[in-house]
Amino acid sequence: MAGTDHGRRQAQAPGPSFILVAPQMGENIGAAARAMWNFGLDRLRLVAPRDGWPNPRAEATASGAAPVLDTVRVTETLAEACADLDLVLATTARPRDLTKLVLTPEQAMAEARAAIGREAKVGVLFGPERAGLETADVARAHAIVSVPVNPAFGSLNLGQCVLLMAYEWMRSGDATPPAEYVLAGTKRATGIEIDKLREHLVERLDAVGFFFPEHKRPSMIVILQNLLSRAPLTDADVRVVHGMIRALAVKVKGRK
Amino acid sequence: MAGTDHGRRQAQAPGPSFILVAPQMGENIGAAARAMWNFGLDRLRLVAPRDGWPNPRAEATASGAAPVLDTVRVTETLAEACADLDLVLATTARPRDLTKLVLTPEQAMAEARAAIGREAKVGVLFGPERAGLETADVARAHAIVSVPVNPAFGSLNLGQCVLLMAYEWMRSGDATPPAEYVLAGTKRATGIEIDKLREHLVERLDAVGFFFPEHKRPSMIVILQNLLSRAPLTDADVRVVHGMIRALAVKVKGRK
């Protein structure tokens, strides 16, 4: 399509990382790489790709989008893939039993661009082909991205979803930036800081037998994760909450 | 994806006809039908499809998008396909030796919607898979539509091009809806619930001497207040946090 100078600028500027969670078909990984590179995005991460990595089928399909595949990052867990990210957005089709901000692709990429302008690192999650993201994965995100489709027929596949998000990233290049959080001298907490905070809280709650009955523990932990990711927490906030948890639980721990 | 009432309206309102000129693979015709129906468009025309019509491969690929394939119109020439149209837009990747208005997909679909609002009939042309539209076909159009892509890599295929145009048709339908929280069966906590939660937390933290030195107490309480008000908490969240505070602090309280 008729290229503009606009596209060239974007290929060089930093963009969000697109994170494919448990992708199954190599062809879809290749198609995602091509869709990204069409709009100048080159940061692809894979979490536990079914057929391992490297994947010859992905390479065959991605032909021409080598700059994306050459720098792909592969991790075993989503936590690792998100460890250095400040803002995580989860694409999902289905309504969830999670209280979470829901954005259109346009709003999401405007947020991403504003965050990157503040030197934050941004990731966009895409679930596996059939089932989409699991609820625990969505809970990790700061917001949900949902494409408003025909309610009688919403059937976007992985490659189409990546394409629309990449396209909106390109479009966001000229958009007025949205309202942003004033961070008051601190910076937004990273994924790993939030993970550690949740682990700390769970450890202390375990010590007092909070998760009872035991079979409810996993869903309670998802609720906690969702709570901690919903507010934009700063690193100062994280320190304060660690301090509170420690203070509340210190004597209990001493008695164990 | 999270369907909205918006999509339903569009499926019933008239939209532009998408016209595939000399499409080769049945699979691509099916993919185009699916992409259109995702965004409520159901008027598909084919000009001289290579493998004739009907095409079992198109039907297999389009599964679920039957409302589009069932009403497809097939003609031998582009002139016949355009005979009843008032506004024709040609999607094309390459620069042309034609003096012609060039629109972005967003501008093109805004034009299309405005024209349809005046009861005009609108068609969007898509060329065959390899070569794209011929210059003579483009010359017939009132304007060119071009997707601004990475100049180092512009490789949108037929299905992707149809998807982006259909998506922009949907977007042109209304002002962007505001970002919203999915509340997952609960309601947003009231101010008084948040106040009580903060008071509970402060009381327990006071009991363990968290606010030290004393002169820092007011500013620490402001930080807590800010933390609790930043995330949109539901009443369910508030109950969970009360429970955690109680669990962590219960034995401490017993020792006071």
Side-chain angles (χ1 to χ4, degrees), chain A residues 12-209:
Chain A
Q12 290 166 350
S17 295
F18 278 17
I19 303 171
L20 309 188
V21 180
Q24 300 178 330
M25 311 264 289
E27 288 82 350
N28 290 332
I29 299 170
R34 289 178 66 89
M36 289 172 65
W37 192 225
N38 265 303
F39 297 108
L41 288 171
D42 59 3
R43 299 176 183 206
L44 177 62
R45 299 181 181 186
L46 305 176
V47 177
R50 185 190 65 185
D51 299 336
W53 195 259
N55 182 323
R57 289 187 173 193
E59 281 162 27
T61 311
S63 82
V68 181
L69 281 202
D70 288 351
T71 56
V72 72
R73 279 183 51 183
V74 183
T75 60
E76 274 308 299
T77 66
L78 180 57
E80 293 167 87
C82 294
D84 64 332
L85 299 177
D86 306 292
L87 175 65
V88 177
L89 306 166
T91 61
T92 181
R94 291 172 295 135
R96 302 281 177 166
D97 292 336
L98 294 171
T99 296
K100 194 77 92 178
L101 186 65
V102 179
L103 303 173
T104 63
E106 180 177 22
Q107 292 164 336
M109 289 300 95
E111 283 286 331
R113 193 171 284 273
I116 288 169
R118 299 189 297 269
E119 307 204 346
K121 297 187 83 173
V122 177
V124 184
L125 310 184
F126 299 86
E129 287 89 336
R130 259 178 235 176
L133 290 170
E134 291 179 10
T135 300
D137 300 335
V138 175
R140 177 179 297 278
H142 300 99
I144 283 174
V145 191
S146 219
V147 183
V149 288
N150 181 354
F153 184 72
S155 76
L156 295 175
N157 65 30
L158 176 57
Q160 290 174 317
C161 197
V162 169
L163 182 78
L164 291 177
M165 295 301 289
Y167 171 75
E168 283 289 4
W169 168 257
M170 178 279 296
R171 284 190 63 247
S172 74
D174 308 314
T176 308
E180 53 185 275
Y181 284 96
V182 172
L183 283 179
T186 63
K187 64 175 200 56
R188 194 155 172 168
T190 61
I192 203 161
E193 286 170 331
I194 300 291
D195 280 348
K196 285 189 173 161
L197 181 60
R198 191 190 64 252
E199 284 161 17
H200 180 196
L201 186 55
V202 168
E203 176 197 321
R204 301 290 180 139
L205 289 168
D206 270 334
V208 294

Side-chain angles (χ1 to χ4, degrees), chain B residues 172-195:
Chain B
S172 73
D174 62 0
T176 306
E180 57 181 335
Y181 279 94
V182 170
L183 282 178
T186 63
K187 64 177 196 54
R188 193 156 173 167
T190 60
I192 201 160
E193 285 170 331
I194 300 292
D195 282 346

